[in-house]
Coordinates of all heavy atoms in Angstrom, one line a residue:
L114 N 56.9 -111.7 -24.3 CA 56.8 -110.3 -23.8 C 56.0 -110.2 -22.4 O 56.4 -109.5 -21.5 CB 56.1 -109.5 -24.9 CG 55.8 -108.0 -24.5 CD1 57.1 -107.3 -24.3 CD2 55.0 -107.4 -25.7
W115 N 54.8 -110.9 -22.4 CA 54.0 -110.7 -21.2 C 54.6 -111.3 -19.9 O 54.4 -110.8 -18.8 CB 52.6 -111.3 -21.4 CG 52.6 -112.7 -22.1 CD1 52.6 -113.9 -21.5 CD2 52.4 -112.9 -23.5 NE1 52.5 -114.9 -22.4 CE2 52.4 -114.3 -23.7 CE3 52.3 -112.1 -24.6 CZ2 52.3 -114.9 -24.9 CZ3 52.2 -112.6 -25.8 CH2 52.2 -114.0 -26.0
S116 N 55.5 -112.3 -20.1 CA 56.2 -112.8 -18.9 C 57.2 -111.8 -18.5 O 57.4 -111.6 -17.3 CB 56.8 -114.2 -19.3 OG 57.8 -114.6 -18.4
I117 N 58.0 -111.3 -19.4 CA 59.0 -110.3 -19.1 C 58.4 -109.1 -18.4 O 58.9 -108.6 -17.4 CB 59.8 -109.9 -20.3 CG1 60.5 -111.1 -21.0 CG2 60.8 -108.8 -20.0 CD1 61.1 -110.8 -22.3
L118 N 57.3 -108.6 -19.0 CA 56.6 -107.4 -18.4 C 56.1 -107.7 -17.0 O 56.3 -107.0 -16.0 CB 55.4 -107.0 -19.3 CG 55.8 -106.4 -20.6 CD1 54.5 -106.2 -21.5 CD2 56.6 -105.1 -20.5
S119 N 55.5 -108.9 -16.8 CA 55.0 -109.3 -15.5 C 56.1 -109.3 -14.4 O 55.9 -108.8 -13.3 CB 54.3 -110.7 -15.6 OG 53.2 -110.7 -16.4
K120 N 57.2 -109.9 -14.8 CA 58.3 -109.9 -13.8 C 58.8 -108.6 -13.5 O 59.4 -108.4 -12.4 CB 59.5 -110.8 -14.5 CG 59.3 -112.2 -14.4 CD 60.5 -113.0 -14.7 CE 61.3 -112.5 -15.9 NZ 62.4 -113.4 -16.2
S121 N 58.6 -107.6 -14.4 CA 59.1 -106.3 -14.1 C 58.1 -105.4 -13.4 O 58.3 -104.2 -13.3 CB 59.5 -105.6 -15.5 OG 60.4 -106.4 -16.1
G122 N 57.0 -106.0 -13.0 CA 56.0 -105.2 -12.2 C 55.0 -104.5 -13.1 O 54.2 -103.7 -12.6
V123 N 55.0 -104.7 -14.4 CA 54.0 -104.1 -15.3 C 52.8 -105.0 -15.2 O 52.9 -106.2 -15.3 CB 54.6 -104.1 -16.7 CG1 53.5 -103.5 -17.7 CG2 55.9 -103.2 -16.8
T124 N 51.6 -104.4 -15.0 CA 50.4 -105.2 -15.0 C 50.0 -105.5 -16.5 O 50.2 -104.6 -17.4 CB 49.2 -104.4 -14.3 OG1 49.1 -103.1 -14.9 CG2 49.5 -104.3 -12.8
V125 N 49.6 -106.7 -16.7 CA 49.4 -107.2 -18.0 C 47.9 -107.8 -18.2 O 47.4 -108.5 -17.3 CB 50.4 -108.4 -18.3 CG1 50.0 -109.2 -19.6 CG2 51.8 -107.9 -18.4
G126 N 47.3 -107.4 -19.3 CA 45.9 -107.9 -19.6 C 45.9 -108.3 -21.0 O 46.3 -107.6 -21.9
M127 N 45.5 -109.6 -21.2 CA 45.5 -110.1 -22.6 C 44.2 -110.8 -22.9 O 43.7 -111.6 -22.1 CB 46.6 -111.1 -22.8 CG 47.9 -110.6 -22.2 SD 49.3 -110.8 -23.3 CE 49.0 -112.4 -24.0
A128 N 43.7 -110.6 -24.1 CA 42.4 -111.3 -24.5 C 42.5 -111.8 -26.0 O 42.8 -111.0 -26.9 CB 41.2 -110.4 -24.3
N129 N 42.3 -113.1 -26.2 CA 42.1 -113.7 -27.5 C 43.4 -113.6 -28.3 O 43.3 -113.5 -29.6 CB 40.9 -113.1 -28.2 CG 39.6 -113.4 -27.6 OD1 38.6 -112.8 -27.8 ND2 39.6 -114.5 -26.7
V130 N 44.5 -113.5 -27.7 CA 45.8 -113.5 -28.5 C 46.0 -115.0 -28.9 O 46.0 -115.9 -28.1 CB 47.0 -113.0 -27.7 CG1 48.3 -113.0 -28.5 CG2 46.7 -111.6 -27.1
P131 N 46.3 -115.2 -30.2 CA 46.5 -116.5 -30.7 C 47.6 -117.2 -30.0 O 48.6 -116.6 -29.7 CB 46.8 -116.3 -32.2 CG 46.1 -115.0 -32.6 CD 46.2 -114.2 -31.3
A132 N 47.5 -118.5 -29.9 CA 48.6 -119.4 -29.4 C 49.0 -119.0 -27.9 O 50.2 -119.0 -27.6 CB 49.8 -119.3 -30.3
T133 N 48.0 -118.6 -27.1 CA 48.3 -118.4 -25.7 C 47.6 -119.4 -24.8 O 47.3 -119.1 -23.6 CB 47.8 -116.9 -25.3 OG1 46.5 -116.7 -25.6 CG2 48.7 -115.9 -25.9
F134 N 47.3 -120.5 -25.4 CA 46.6 -121.6 -24.6 C 47.6 -122.8 -24.4 O 48.3 -123.1 -25.3 CB 45.4 -122.1 -25.4 CG 44.7 -123.3 -24.7 CD1 43.8 -123.0 -23.7 CD2 44.9 -124.6 -25.1 CE1 43.1 -124.1 -23.1 CE2 44.3 -125.6 -24.5 CZ 43.4 -125.4 -23.5
P135 N 47.6 -123.4 -23.2 CA 46.9 -122.9 -22.0 C 47.6 -121.6 -21.5 O 48.7 -121.4 -21.7 CB 47.2 -124.1 -21.0 CG 48.4 -124.8 -21.6 CD 48.4 -124.6 -23.0
V136 N 46.7 -120.8 -20.8 CA 47.2 -119.5 -20.4 C 48.3 -119.7 -19.3 O 48.3 -120.7 -18.6 CB 46.1 -118.7 -19.8 CG1 45.1 -118.2 -20.9 CG2 45.3 -119.4 -18.7
M137 N 49.1 -118.7 -19.2 CA 50.2 -118.7 -18.2 C 49.9 -117.7 -17.2 O 49.1 -116.7 -17.4 CB 51.5 -118.2 -18.8 CG 51.9 -118.9 -20.1 SD 53.2 -117.9 -20.8 CE 53.9 -119.0 -22.0
P138 N 50.4 -117.9 -16.0 CA 50.2 -116.8 -14.9 C 50.9 -115.5 -15.4 O 52.0 -115.6 -15.9 CB 50.9 -117.4 -13.7 CG 51.3 -118.8 -14.0 CD 51.3 -119.0 -15.5
V139 N 50.2 -114.4 -15.2 CA 50.8 -113.1 -15.5 C 50.4 -112.2 -14.4 O 49.6 -112.5 -13.5 CB 50.2 -112.5 -16.9 CG1 50.8 -113.2 -18.1 CG2 48.7 -112.6 -16.9
N140 N 51.0 -111.0 -14.4 CA 50.7 -110.0 -13.4 C 49.5 -109.2 -13.8 O 49.5 -108.1 -14.1 CB 51.9 -109.0 -13.3 CG 51.8 -108.0 -12.2 OD1 51.0 -108.2 -11.3 ND2 52.5 -106.9 -12.4
G141 N 48.3 -110.0 -13.9 CA 47.1 -109.4 -14.4 C 46.2 -110.5 -14.8 O 45.9 -111.5 -14.0
Y142 N 45.7 -110.5 -16.0 CA 44.8 -111.6 -16.5 C 45.2 -112.0 -17.9 O 45.8 -111.2 -18.6 CB 43.3 -111.1 -16.4 CG 43.1 -110.0 -17.4 CD1 42.7 -110.2 -18.7 CD2 43.1 -108.6 -17.0 CE1 42.5 -109.2 -19.7 CE2 42.9 -107.6 -17.9 CZ 42.6 -107.9 -19.3 OH 42.3 -106.9 -20.1
M143 N 44.7 -113.1 -18.3 CA 44.8 -113.6 -19.7 C 43.7 -114.5 -20.1 O 43.3 -115.4 -19.3 CB 46.1 -114.4 -19.8 CG 46.5 -114.7 -21.3 SD 48.0 -115.7 -21.5 CE 49.3 -114.7 -21.0
V144 N 43.0 -114.2 -21.2 CA 42.0 -115.0 -21.8 C 42.6 -115.5 -23.1 O 43.0 -114.7 -23.9 CB 40.7 -114.2 -22.0 CG1 39.6 -115.1 -22.6 CG2 40.2 -113.6 -20.7
S145 N 42.6 -116.8 -23.3 CA 43.3 -117.4 -24.5 C 42.5 -117.1 -25.8 O 41.4 -116.6 -25.8 CB 43.6 -118.8 -24.3 OG 42.4 -119.6 -24.4
G146 N 43.1 -117.5 -26.9 CA 42.5 -117.3 -28.2 C 42.6 -118.5 -29.1 O 42.6 -119.6 -28.6
M147 N 42.8 -118.2 -30.4 CA 43.0 -119.3 -31.3 C 43.9 -120.4 -30.9 O 45.0 -120.1 -30.3 CB 43.5 -118.7 -32.6 CG 43.7 -119.6 -33.7 SD 44.6 -119.0 -35.1 CE 43.4 -117.9 -35.9
L148 N 43.5 -121.6 -31.1 CA 44.3 -122.8 -30.7 C 43.9 -123.3 -29.3 O 44.6 -124.0 -28.7 CB 45.8 -122.7 -30.9 CG 46.3 -122.5 -32.3 CD1 47.8 -122.7 -32.4 CD2 45.6 -123.5 -33.3
T149 N 42.7 -122.8 -28.8 CA 42.2 -123.3 -27.5 C 41.4 -124.6 -27.8 O 40.6 -124.6 -28.7 CB 41.3 -122.2 -26.9 OG1 42.1 -121.1 -26.6 CG2 40.7 -122.7 -25.6
R150 N 41.7 -125.6 -27.0 CA 41.0 -126.9 -27.2 C 39.7 -126.9 -26.4 O 39.6 -126.3 -25.4 CB 41.9 -128.0 -26.7 CG 43.1 -128.3 -27.5 CD 44.0 -129.2 -26.7 NE 45.2 -129.5 -27.4 CZ 45.5 -130.6 -28.0 NH1 44.6 -131.6 -27.9 NH2 46.6 -130.8 -28.7
G151 N 38.7 -127.7 -26.9 CA 37.5 -127.8 -26.2 C 36.5 -128.7 -26.9 O 36.9 -129.4 -27.9
K152 N 35.3 -128.7 -26.5 CA 34.3 -129.6 -27.0 C 34.1 -129.3 -28.5 O 34.0 -128.1 -28.9 CB 33.0 -129.3 -26.3 CG 31.9 -130.4 -26.4 CD 30.7 -130.1 -25.6 CE 29.5 -130.7 -26.2 NZ 28.3 -130.0 -25.9
N153 N 33.9 -130.3 -29.3 CA 33.8 -130.1 -30.8 C 35.0 -129.4 -31.4 O 34.9 -128.9 -32.5 CB 32.5 -129.4 -31.2 CG 31.3 -130.1 -30.7 OD1 31.2 -131.3 -30.8 ND2 30.3 -129.4 -30.1
C154 N 36.1 -129.4 -30.7 CA 37.3 -128.6 -31.1 C 38.4 -129.3 -30.5 O 39.3 -128.7 -29.8 CB 37.1 -127.2 -30.7 SG 38.4 -126.1 -31.4
E155 N 38.5 -130.7 -30.6 CA 39.4 -131.4 -29.8 C 40.9 -131.1 -30.1 O 41.8 -131.0 -29.3 CB 39.2 -132.9 -29.9 CG 38.1 -133.5 -29.0 CD 36.7 -133.0 -29.4 OE1 36.5 -132.7 -30.5 OE2 35.8 -133.0 -28.5
D156 N 41.1 -130.8 -31.5 CA 42.5 -130.5 -31.8 C 42.8 -129.0 -31.6 O 44.0 -128.6 -31.7 CB 42.8 -130.9 -33.3 CG 41.9 -130.2 -34.3 OD1 41.1 -129.4 -33.9 OD2 42.1 -130.4 -35.5

Side-chain angles (χ1 to χ4, degrees):
L114 177 64
W115 43 89
S116 163
I117 300 171
L118 292 173
S119 292
K120 282 196 309 188
S121 305
V123 176
T124 54
V125 169
M127 314 226 322
N129 296 158
V130 180
T133 54
F134 177 83
V136 289
M137 304 167 169
V139 286
N140 184 21
Y142 67 85
M143 192 186 287
V144 181
S145 69
M147 183 191 283
L148 297 191
T149 297
R150 291 163 180 257
K152 198 177 152 210
N153 300 319
C154 186
E155 276 71 22
D156 62 357

